[in-house]
Amino acid sequence: MQDLHITQQNIISFLEGKDDSFLHTAYPHADTSFPHDYKYLLTGLIHHDMYHLGQMGITIKFLKIQHLDV
């Protein structure tokens, strides 16, 4: 959880002071076979984090159910 928080803070710090037009700037480290902008990258990062948070939620719920059944 601490790594997630640090990563989220880094993203927020990176975006501070940038306007929405920045999101349409080409991401310079993208593979030339699949060029994309910062909006695509940040949307993917958000979806990735949400996916893993969902996994953690399911795991925690499962562990609580297992604990109650013991």
Side-chain angles (χ1 to χ4, degrees):
M1 290 298 293
Q2 184 178 8
D3 287 346
L4 174 66
H5 180 72
I6 290 169
T7 301
Q8 295 298 310
Q9 291 295 32
N10 288 339
I11 291 170
I12 291 167
S13 295
F14 175 74
L15 291 173
E16 273 184 334
K18 294 178 174 62
D19 61 15
D20 289 350
S21 65
F22 171 78
L23 296 174
H24 301 289
T25 304
Y27 179 64
H29 305 290
D31 191 304
T32 55
S33 66
F34 183 63
H36 52 273
D37 57 14
Y38 279 99
K39 181 180 179 181
Y40 181 86
L41 175 71
L42 291 169
T43 301
L45 288 171
I46 291 166
H47 287 169
H48 175 262
D49 288 348
M50 290 175 62
Y51 175 79
H52 286 295
L53 286 170
Q55 285 180 320
M56 291 185 332
I58 290 169
T59 301
I60 290 168
K61 184 176 181 178
F62 177 73
L63 291 172
K64 285 180 180 179
I65 290 171
Q66 291 295 327
H67 179 69
L68 293 174
D69 290 342
V70 172

